[in-house]
């Protein structure tokens, strides 16, 4: 089947946070991490049938919901999940917040590997905990003007050794660092955490979005030690562009932790989900794998086009070597602007909206911007053409 990822879809005036937040009709938004593609046809069909029923009362989550999750991760990733390990909630950010609430006390430390997803910081602060940064190390990538990141295991060992450190938030694949962590890296991280009694909370929301030649490994699937020392938060929302339907899962094999998490879910009042999220998840995991694979091929081609544009026209700006996600991370230090200054200049003069790197960690994010390439290629290229004079200025 052929899917129309090249077809532009006008999202303006649909209460789209990505497209309508600026209030301007001439701005191309390349910031918020959702995609400008229609979701998989099977999901649309399933939602249409649910709408036609016409009654949208309180939702019971059926056995088939759990079976869809178990089947998907077992079939695609070799991760064998049991039904009792799964707790549903409204989103991955609420999931992370309730896990922090469940397993920490105010004043405890939570480790993050910066630059990293900005909501990690707010989730930690909102629960009265202390953010501890273990910065990733930037290294050149072989071939071309690219860079990548590796974990600083020595620094992580030092940070985890503090008796106040209780959790580590892992971003797998990493946003905005573009890494799809290898099995050996994940095992080494867990070995450090185990030595010091630190539990790994894995945000794996981007798990299906990998570039050609890379493979996502669920943290909990690496070894029995990894599974026993971790809690995974995931959702089909990024992979299938269904974030507005608000459905996510917390997967944990420790019954004591699950009991604490269940209590935190109810304290935070994120225990009820809507019928469309339940329906969409099943259609995604049961009927939409072919669409997902086509999407990943399209995103890979977009990334190649982005790389070629920078190599030809902006060679002074290194790019992240993107292994996963659809979020490119660009070194803009050659412009002489701060990340915030450049973001504002691109908005005002090029009418392109991007994320300044400081959102993802002040010191590690300064000097970078994040660009969302999950859009029709024509839209992406138009945005790049608008950005070019500003970036060369």
């Amino acid at each position: 089947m052929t899917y129309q990822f090249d077809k532009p879809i006008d999202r303006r005036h649909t209460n789209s946070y990505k497209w309508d937040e600026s209030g301007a009709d001439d701005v191309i938004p390349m910031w918020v991490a959702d995609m400008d593609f229609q979701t998989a046809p099977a999901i649309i069909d399933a939602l249409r049938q649910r709408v036609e029923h016409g009654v949208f009362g309180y939702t019971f989550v059926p056995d088939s919901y759990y079976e869809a999750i178990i089947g998907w991760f077992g079939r695609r990733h070799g991760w064998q999940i049991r039904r009792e390990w799964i707790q549903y909630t409204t989103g991955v950010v609420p999931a992370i917040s309730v896990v922090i609430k469940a397993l920490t006390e105010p004043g405890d430390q939570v480790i993050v590997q910066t630059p990293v997803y900005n909501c990690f910081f707010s989730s930690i602060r909102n629960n009265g905990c202390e953010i501890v940064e273990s910065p990733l190390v930037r290294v050149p990538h072989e071939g071309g003007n690219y860079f990548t990141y590796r974990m600083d295991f020595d620094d992580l060992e030092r940070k985890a050794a503090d008796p106040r450190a209780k959790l580590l938030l892992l971003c797998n694949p990493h946003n905005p660092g573009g890494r799809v962590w290898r099995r050996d890296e994940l095992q080494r991280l867990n070995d450090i955490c185990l030595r010091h009694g630190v539990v790994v909370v894995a945000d794996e929301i981007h798990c299906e979005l990998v570039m050609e030649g890379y493979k996502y490994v669920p943290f909990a699937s690496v070894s029995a030690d990894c599974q026993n020392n971790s809690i995974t938060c995931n959702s089909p929302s990024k992979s299938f562009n269904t974030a507005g339907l608000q459905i996510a899962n917390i997967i944990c094999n420790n019954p004591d932790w699950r009991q604490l998490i269940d209590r935190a879910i109810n304290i935070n009042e994120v225990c009820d989900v809507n019928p469309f999220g339940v329906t969409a998840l099943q259609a995604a995991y049961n009927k939409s794998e072919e669409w997902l694979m086509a999407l990943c091929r399209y995103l890979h081609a977009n990334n190649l086009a982005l790389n070629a544009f920078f190599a030809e026209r902006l060679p002074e700006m290194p790019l992240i070597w993107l292994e996963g996600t659809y979020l490119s991370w660009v070194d803009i230090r050659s412009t002489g602007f701060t990340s915030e200054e450049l973001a504002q200049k691109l908005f005002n003069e090029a009418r392109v909206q991007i994320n300044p790197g400081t959102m993802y960690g002040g010191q590690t994010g300064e000097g970078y911007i994040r660009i969302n390439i999950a859009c029709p290629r024509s839209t992406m290229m138009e945005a790049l053409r608008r950005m070019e004079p500003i970036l060369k200025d």
Side-chain angles (χ1 to χ4, degrees):
M1 186 172 180
T2 301
Y3 303 102
Q4 300 298 319
F5 299 113
D6 268 326
K7 177 184 177 182
I9 297 171
D10 188 358
R11 299 183 62 193
R12 291 185 174 92
H13 310 300
T14 62
N15 298 319
S16 161
Y17 191 65
K18 181 179 182 181
W19 282 84
D20 292 330
E21 185 271 347
S22 71
D25 284 349
D26 61 341
V27 170
I28 300 177
M30 308 287 282
W31 62 305
V32 174
D34 72 10
M35 300 188 287
D36 292 331
F37 312 123
Q38 285 190 338
T39 190
I43 297 175
I44 296 171
D45 290 344
L47 291 174
R48 183 179 293 115
Q49 292 177 31
R50 187 65 186 83
V51 167
E52 288 175 353
H53 181 262
V55 180
F56 312 115
Y58 296 115
T59 297
F60 174 80
V61 177
D63 290 344
S64 55
Y65 175 92
Y66 299 96
E67 292 164 0
I69 297 166
I70 292 166
W72 179 266
F73 284 98
R75 181 175 70 252
R76 279 184 61 86
H77 304 298
W79 182 22
Q80 305 306 317
I81 300 170
R82 297 180 184 175
R83 173 179 170 154
E84 63 267 25
W85 298 356
I86 303 169
Q87 294 169 287
Y88 59 80
T89 186
T90 56
V92 165
V93 172
I96 292 168
S97 293
V98 300
V99 171
I100 295 172
K101 181 181 288 292
L103 298 187
T104 66
E105 298 291 340
D108 286 344
Q109 293 182 346
V110 180
I111 301 169
V112 296
Q113 296 172 296
T114 51
V116 75
Y117 178 47
N118 54 294
C119 285
F120 281 10
F121 302 109
S122 57
S123 291
I124 296 168
R125 291 193 191 101
N126 290 343
N127 282 287
C129 292
E130 178 184 343
I131 299 165
V132 175
E133 296 187 31
S134 180
L136 299 173
V137 178
R138 173 176 160 164
V139 293
H141 186 273
E142 57 187 32
N145 193 24
Y146 305 105
F147 62 94
T148 186
Y149 288 102
R150 63 171 176 82
M151 296 186 189
D152 188 336
F153 292 109
D154 292 336
D155 181 74
L156 180 58
E157 185 92 49
R158 290 190 294 270
K159 303 293 174 57
D162 191 310
R164 295 173 296 164
K166 303 301 180 185
L167 302 179
L168 179 144
L169 302 188
L170 171 71
C171 202
N172 177 38
H174 192 87
N175 166 23
R179 282 298 314 278
V180 178
W181 301 114
R182 301 188 311 269
R183 184 175 297 271
D184 63 302
E185 293 172 304
L186 298 174
Q187 183 64 64
R188 188 173 177 186
L189 177 145
N190 191 61
D191 291 344
I192 292 170
C193 289
L194 270 179
R195 277 197 291 275
H196 302 290
V198 174
V199 177
V200 177
V201 182
D203 171 2
E204 301 192 347
I205 195 170
H206 291 277
C207 64
E208 305 300 339
L209 300 170
V210 296
M211 298 294 159
E212 290 181 15
Y214 296 91
K215 181 175 175 57
Y216 151 73
V217 179
F219 181 85
S221 74
V222 171
S223 66
D225 282 344
C226 287
Q227 183 156 275
N228 294 335
N229 191 48
S230 68
I231 298 163
T232 298
C233 303
N234 61 29
S235 170
S237 62
K238 285 286 185 285
S239 304
F240 294 95
N241 206 30
T242 58
L245 301 183
Q246 296 188 312
I247 195 76
N249 297 289
I250 302 168
I251 303 174
C252 173
N253 73 332
N254 185 312
D256 295 331
W257 293 349
R258 288 203 305 271
Q259 187 174 15
L260 293 170
I261 291 166
D262 183 68
R263 176 63 179 152
I265 287 173
N266 284 276
I267 289 171
N268 281 15
E269 300 291 358
V270 287
C271 49
D272 292 322
V273 292
N274 74 71
F276 301 111
V278 174
T279 295
L281 180 143
Q282 294 175 79
Y285 287 165
N286 292 336
K287 299 179 179 179
S288 302
E289 190 167 2
E290 179 186 298
W291 179 90
L292 176 66
M293 301 313 295
L295 168 70
C296 287
R297 289 191 294 271
Y298 191 87
L299 292 174
H300 180 70
N302 266 10
N303 186 52
L304 293 178
L306 177 88
N307 290 350
F309 185 94
F310 273 82
E312 178 183 350
R313 304 192 189 191
L314 298 162
E316 65 278 10
M317 292 184 184
L319 296 174
I320 195 74
W321 181 260
L322 199 61
E323 299 176 1
T325 81
Y326 47 69
L327 304 164
S328 190
W329 187 240
V330 184
D331 182 340
I332 53 87
R333 290 175 295 177
S334 63
T335 67
F337 295 109
T338 68
S339 297
E340 295 280 355
E341 288 170 344
L342 184 60
Q344 193 62 52
K345 191 174 180 67
L346 287 170
F347 183 84
N348 291 339
E349 300 179 27
R351 310 305 281 162
V352 174
Q353 193 171 9
I354 52 84
N355 290 114
T358 45
M359 291 178 61
Y360 309 100
Q363 292 185 335
T364 53
E366 181 57 83
Y368 299 86
I369 59 173
R370 195 188 77 168
I371 301 175
N372 179 347
I373 63 170
C375 57
R377 198 157 304 127
S378 59
T379 302
M380 182 185 77
M381 298 308 296
E382 172 60 23
L384 293 176
R385 284 189 288 269
R386 292 187 187 188
M387 293 168 66
E388 181 183 0
I390 307 299
L391 296 178
K392 281 184 172 178
D393 189 5

